[in-house]
Amino acid sequence: MPEQDVTVGQLLLAEYETVKSEQRARIGFRDNLLYVTLAVVAAVIAATAQAERPSMLLALPPVCLVLGWTYLVNDEKISAIGLYVRDDLGPKLAELAPQGSRFATFGWEAYHRSDTRRRSRKTIQTVIDLTAFCAVPLAALIVFWTNGDAARLLVVLSVLEALAVAGLASQVVWYAKAG
């Protein structure tokens, strides 16, 4: 087999395609987690209403915690890929451009972040994330607590679930501020 020389630029572009492919996959997966959460919430509420057993609402916090944490981790990786492309991969490719060409690599990665409405969109998204993954399970816990006929063990479990949901809420806010 004849040897083929691979340039640094080709390697960097191949890496770019690989990380962007991962980013696209993570975006699709992350976005679908909101729909899955809505479907699970609807199913649990419907089953609870049909069975007339408020204790079934205790299934919502762990499900929302798992889905919310998975959403948050994927969102962080999506942002990390963008940062890597902007701050590491792009400058390496720009160094390979001819001197004086003022070649800007992957301009979209920085350009879309300069939108004047970006901050308001991030705030709205944070509210949506908090509602889907934290407020809904907390509302389920409140309904459970106001029912009043729960076994002591279930009440202890519900308090632990509330603490875990509060922890997730703090992480959602922290990651939103970090981005």
Side-chain angles (χ1 to χ4, degrees):
M1 249 181 119
E3 281 190 33
Q4 294 182 353
D5 291 333
V6 178
T7 67
V8 171
Q10 289 169 324
L11 289 173
L12 291 172
L13 288 174
E15 182 179 13
Y16 171 75
E17 287 300 324
T18 301
V19 297
K20 288 305 280 186
S21 177
E22 178 182 346
Q23 188 181 48
R24 281 188 296 274
R26 284 183 178 276
I27 288 169
F29 181 73
R30 177 204 60 194
D31 292 352
N32 283 328
L33 285 171
L34 277 172
Y35 301 122
V36 169
T37 302
L38 289 173
V40 168
V41 166
V44 169
I45 290 172
T48 300
Q50 187 174 17
E52 296 180 3
R53 293 188 50 212
S55 61
M56 291 174 65
L57 291 173
L58 293 179
L60 276 181
V63 169
C64 288
L65 283 167
V66 169
L67 293 171
W69 182 252
T70 305
Y71 178 94
L72 192 61
V73 168
N74 272 281
D75 191 58
E76 188 279 327
K77 294 300 179 214
I78 291 163
S79 296
I81 289 169
L83 181 66
Y84 175 70
V85 169
R86 276 190 316 279
D87 293 354
D88 193 42
L89 205 52
K92 285 179 182 174
L93 266 172
E95 287 176 11
L96 298 175
Q99 288 291 38
S101 67
R102 295 171 38 176
F103 178 69
T105 56
F106 311 127
W108 174 250
E109 297 291 339
Y111 179 79
H112 80 278
R113 297 177 61 84
S114 65
D115 180 9
T116 57
R117 287 176 274 171
R118 182 174 185 271
R119 180 167 288 189
S120 66
R121 278 195 315 274
K122 283 189 66 69
T123 300
I124 292 167
Q125 187 62 52
T126 301
V127 170
I128 290 169
D129 296 347
L130 286 169
T131 301
F133 300 118
C134 302
V136 168
L138 286 177
L141 289 170
I142 290 168
V143 169
F144 170 74
W145 291 327
T146 57
N147 185 47
D149 63 348
R152 184 180 195 107
L153 182 60
L154 290 180
V155 171
V156 170
L157 175 64
S158 70
V159 170
L160 293 174
E161 288 179 343
L163 292 172
V165 169
L168 177 62
S170 71
Q171 291 297 300
V172 167
V173 170
W174 188 81
Y175 275 103
K177 287 181 181 179

